[in-house]
Amino acid sequence: MGDPPVSVVPDAGLGNSAYLLDLGDGRALAVDASRDLRSLRRAAAARGLHVAYAADTHLHADFLSGAVQLAATDGAQVLASRAGGREFPHRGLEDGEEVNLGGLTLRAIGTPGHTDEHLAFLLLDGSREIGVFSGGSLIAGSAARVDLVAPERTEELARAQYHSLHRIAALDPATALWPTHGGGSFCSTAAATVGTTTTIGDELAASELLRAPDQDTFVRLLLGSLGSHPPYFHRLGEMNRRGPEVLTDDPTLEGLQPTVVADLVAAGAEIVDVRPVASFAQAHPARALSIPLRPAFASWLGWLAPDDRPLVVLREAGQDAAEILWQALKIGYANIVGEIAGGIDAWQTAGLPTAAIDIVSPTDVSGVRVLDIRQAGEYAAGHLPGAANLELGDVAEHAAAYADGPVVVMCGHGERAMSAASLLARAGAADVRVLHGGPDDVARALDLEMEQGP
């Protein structure tokens, strides 16, 4: 008899994977499902499966869990660490405890490091190890970060992660590895692309962390790979411990007249413009925040927009309202109160203030101050000579340094650069421009040699 089918349900924007395990009798186990259950439900429906179990490997910091929703709407039994102190009905598990799935067994393995209460789940067919849902312990090519619980505990948790990884690595080399975090996740370090298929044997052969000769070297390598992360990471763990609110209906985006939106903005609301870069550049409501709708929309919404004030969306007619709302809800943003009815045309017709930002070509960068707002690791891997580096998440705090123009803002393609430019413009920057393209394009156009290092 072959191994039970496991469907990977990737979230490329967050760099995570959920899993759907077919138990062979019409029931399924979901592992690390997010609050946005659309893809998981499609995968289950395509195979005629009903979710009977919802397991969470840890108290997620980068998305709200869908386990509570699956319990409420599908009758799923929630499986999670007893040490997590969750305040909703679940079966609390400790290291070594097993759950009979009806022919298959799920064994909890205590794997602290990414979080204190972290569990991996080993899937067994009798005594045979089929695969391990490793969450944020051993992941493809790396391990999940250990600095989210408390800064002063980072090294302590790195040492715990060392023992957890080696515990997972002691499984049968043929055992499949099913991690939650992958490349693109701010929870991971130098991980492989999300959804990468690998085994324990593959990781033993290829993982730099597993090949580290001792614990101190492991800690140095792991801590050296940590980058910045969105501030909402510090809220979601507790929200997941309490249990996200159960949603009774699919979210909808209410149309608001431009003058109503203007009044909301005057009272403290913000406009989040999700239109493409070119549309925002041409015309946008004055002081609007640009976060183009794309797979990574949730991460940047959670990094740049407030969660404690009303948000109003500006979108183009072809952009999916449900996608905007689900991406927001899966990171705990329930404060989107509506959208500008009629879009930018209605805003302009109402005579409300607008602004524009120039997009420039690579040949227009020569002799102008350049601000590269990519992550520090991206900048160090290759940047233009003389370009300053300020990560997008830090732009608002340091915007005053760029009040006097001109300045050309760049990233890899333009979306993050326009977000940064909108933040600078809101802070009063006089002449902000956005590069169409990335530093490689400028280097080619101006025959420049890229520099490396901080």
Side-chain angles (χ1 to χ4, degrees), residues 60-284:
H60 302 288
D62 52 343
F63 62 86
L64 287 183
S65 169
V68 172
Q69 189 74 34
L70 287 168
T73 57
D74 298 54
Q77 182 181 43
V78 178
L79 308 173
S81 169
R82 184 173 292 123
R86 290 166 173 82
E87 295 182 352
F88 52 86
H90 66 286
R91 178 173 173 182
L93 300 173
E94 294 182 354
D95 179 47
E97 285 194 69
E98 295 183 345
V99 179
N100 183 348
L101 301 177
L104 298 170
T105 300
L106 200 66
R107 179 184 296 162
I109 304 175
T111 44
H114 183 47
T115 64
D116 283 306
E117 38 65 61
H118 192 287
L119 292 178
F121 294 108
L122 176 62
L123 183 66
L124 297 160
D125 184 358
S127 61
R128 185 170 67 92
E129 299 170 355
I130 299 173
V132 59
F133 299 102
S134 60
S137 53
L138 179 63
I139 62 181
S142 190
R145 64 191 310 148
V146 292
D147 59 336
L148 299 179
V149 174
E152 68 275 10
R153 297 188 58 211
T154 297
E155 182 173 338
E156 170 200 344
L157 290 170
R159 295 187 182 279
Q161 188 76 299
Y162 172 83
H163 292 292
S164 293
L165 258 64
H166 282 274
R167 189 172 186 195
I168 297 293
L171 297 172
D172 188 312
T175 303
L177 181 69
W178 299 314
T180 301
H181 300 308
S185 166
F186 289 109
C187 266
S188 70
T189 52
T193 304
V194 61
T196 297
T197 300
T198 184
T199 66
I200 298 300
D202 292 336
E203 294 307 306
L204 285 168
S207 171
E208 183 181 26
L209 289 174
L210 287 179
R211 294 199 312 270
D214 52 52
Q215 187 179 130
D216 288 341
T217 303
F218 174 94
V219 170
R220 177 177 55 79
L221 290 171
L222 182 59
L223 299 189
S225 65
L226 299 177
S228 55
H229 59 272
Y232 75 88
F233 275 33
H234 298 294
R235 302 190 293 269
L236 294 200
E238 177 60 16
M239 293 174 71
N240 278 321
R241 192 189 67 81
R242 295 196 307 267
E245 178 186 358
V246 172
L247 302 173
T248 56
D249 297 296
D250 288 339
T252 56
L253 198 54
E254 178 186 357
L256 302 173
Q257 292 303 311
T259 52
V260 173
V261 175
D263 289 341
L264 287 172
V265 170
E270 290 200 19
I271 297 173
V272 178
D273 192 325
V274 307
R275 297 175 301 150
V277 165
S279 299
F280 184 89
Q282 185 175 11
H284 57 268

Side-chain angles (χ1 to χ4, degrees), residues 6-11 16-20 43 47 178-179 194-197:
V6 176
S7 298
V8 183
V9 184
D11 183 334
N16 289 327
S17 293
Y19 296 91
L20 189 71
R47 293 166 58 179
W178 299 314
V194 61
T196 297
T197 300

